[in-house]
Amino acid sequence: MSKPKILVARAIFPEVLAKLSQHFEVSSNQADELWSPAQLIAQLQGKVGAFTTGGERIDAALLVACPDLKICANMAVGYNNFDVDAMTAAGVLATNAPDVLTETTADFGFALLMATARRMAESEHFLRAGKWTKWGFDMFAGSDIHGSTLGILGMGRIGQGIAKRGAHGFGMNVIYHNRSQLDAATEAECKARLVSKEELLKTADHLVLVLPYSAQSHHAIGAAELALMKPTATLINIARGGIVDDAALVHALRNKTIAAAGLDVFEGEPKLNPDLLTVPNVVLTPHIASATIPTRKAMAHLAADNLIGYLTQNKALTPLNPAVVAQRPSL
Ligand code: DGY
């Protein structure tokens, strides 16, 4: 009997391809080409499963053009590349890759916060450019992390990981704003207190964004929000591009209405607002918060296990629209 056909839309670990090949006839993009929507549709013809990485848009138009598709497994916790409602309507299962990247991403959020507050990138560029000729009493003076107020917008698992690092490791006073309040035990573990968005913006010395991207969170941090922040504050975005209005942020950084920003995600990435490259008080990284080899392997294996589980046993590990699993006739 021939094996079901799947597509792996981006280059991935050979060991994950080998695992998938035990169950499926795998077409893979090991050349790591960036496909247009039309090219993705063409590649998906006859495929029942897709292994995606967050950059491939799965929407109603694609679903109509790919009637054989049964599951798209994202190798990312974020899934704003999926139109989950359209997938549910089309009977296509959506899965993401939560949990396995929580601690690695929280580590990175904290690293970016420290690099930004202590002006590490800016001072390194200065040194590399041969400009360091003498010590100065206020040279690259930044802001303290220990004992300061850490604000977190979006208090899911990664937000909680950052809160714990701040509270327990650096004695920070942690405040957060979220759609819903954490239970008392989790709040105690994170030493975190729920506040309004306005209080968060006005009070935080360091504000970390960890909320999912949606139409509701688009430009959650724009000119009005930046104006509420302290002139000494730092802003860190490890969530998704589009949550911050990057043009408004450039304006705030240039005018020093906030002190600095650390960005791992950008509107329209991998392109970014070119003005960001002209402001010194911003640390820029290319969407690498989850990028350690063990974590990226765990994410890839989870996506693969979702494909194998669903297509061979009707079971998915991390479904986003579990109703699709329930409606599918047993194999
Ligand atoms: C995620 O998993 O959502 C990270 O942003 C990596 O893409």
Side-chain angles (χ1 to χ4, degrees):
M1 207 174 87
S2 63
K3 292 176 181 172
K5 293 182 182 162
I6 67 159
L7 176 73
V8 178
R10 294 290 307 276
I12 197 57
F13 299 102
E15 69 185 51
V16 175
L17 284 183
K19 176 177 179 170
L20 288 166
S21 299
Q22 289 172 17
H23 304 271
F24 308 118
E25 187 181 321
V26 181
S27 299
S28 67
N29 180 9
Q30 285 305 87
D32 214 24
E33 288 166 9
L34 288 182
W35 289 330
S36 66
Q39 287 171 315
L40 181 60
I41 287 172
Q43 294 286 344
L44 279 170
Q45 293 311 299
K47 310 295 188 312
V48 291
F51 180 117
T52 55
T53 61
E56 300 75 34
R57 176 106 193 112
I58 306 296
D59 58 14
L62 179 141
L63 294 165
V64 168
C66 303
D68 298 316
L69 202 56
K70 300 275 174 279
I71 171 174
C72 295
N74 227 22
M75 182 195 147
V77 64
Y79 52 90
N80 53 304
N81 57 316
F82 285 174
D83 181 339
V84 177
D85 289 343
M87 292 173 79
T88 306
V92 174
L93 183 70
T95 65
N96 68 338
D99 301 324
V100 291
L101 48 54
T102 300
E103 299 303 328
T104 295
T105 305
D107 282 351
F108 185 88
F110 219 87
L112 189 54
L113 162 56
M114 296 188 76
T116 303
R118 295 303 307 271
R119 304 177 65 179
M120 285 183 179
E122 197 184 346
S123 58
E124 202 221 24
H125 291 153
F126 169 87
L127 185 149
R128 282 181 187 269
K131 294 181 182 167
W132 187 28
T133 53
K134 59 180 178 165
W135 180 88
F137 76 96
D138 63 349
M139 196 167 80
F140 294 108
S143 49
D144 276 326
I145 292 154
H146 71 273
S148 65
T149 295
L150 171 62
I152 300 177
L153 186 57
M155 197 62 157
R157 288 161 285 215
I158 298 169
Q160 291 166 33
I162 293 169
K164 284 181 214 160
R165 282 160 177 76
H168 299 286
F170 292 84
M172 296 173 94
N173 164 39
V174 182
I175 53 177
Y176 74 97
H177 183 73
N178 199 40
R179 272 176 306 192
S180 53
Q181 183 162 15
L182 299 180
D183 61 68
T186 310
E187 276 195 345
E189 207 185 332
C190 296
K191 296 194 180 181
R193 182 170 62 85
L194 181 71
V195 296
S196 67
K197 186 174 171 188
E198 186 175 342
E199 184 179 344
L200 187 85
L201 292 164
K202 285 182 170 169
T203 317
D205 295 308
H206 307 288
L207 176 60
V208 184
L209 309 178
V210 209
L211 66 169
Y213 180 80
S214 66
Q216 292 71 40
S217 64
H218 181 74
H219 287 186
I221 302 294
E225 291 75 19
L226 290 161
L228 290 178
M229 292 175 67
K230 295 179 180 180
T232 49
T234 57
L235 174 70
I236 306 301
N237 187 7
I238 57 164
R240 278 290 181 272
I243 289 176
V244 175
D245 176 343
D246 287 347
L249 178 61
V250 168
H251 191 261
L253 291 168
R254 279 206 181 121
N255 293 292
K256 305 272 172 65
T257 57
I258 69 167
L263 307 176
D264 187 49
V265 288
F266 305 88
E267 289 190 284
E269 66 183 54
K271 291 196 179 122
L272 57 154
N273 182 326
D275 290 343
L276 279 170
L277 300 173
T278 69
V279 277
N281 46 344
V282 63
V283 181
L284 308 168
T285 54
H287 203 147
I288 56 167
S290 64
T292 67
I293 293 298
T295 291
R296 286 282 166 87
K297 280 193 176 173
M299 293 163 74
H301 278 285
L302 180 51
D305 289 343
N306 272 309
L307 284 161
I308 296 165
Y310 188 57
L311 292 172
T312 67
Q313 297 172 49
N314 219 15
K315 284 184 191 144
L317 297 169
T318 51
L320 295 164
N321 50 356
V324 170
V325 184
Q327 281 160 16
R328 191 172 182 223
S330 312
L331 296 168

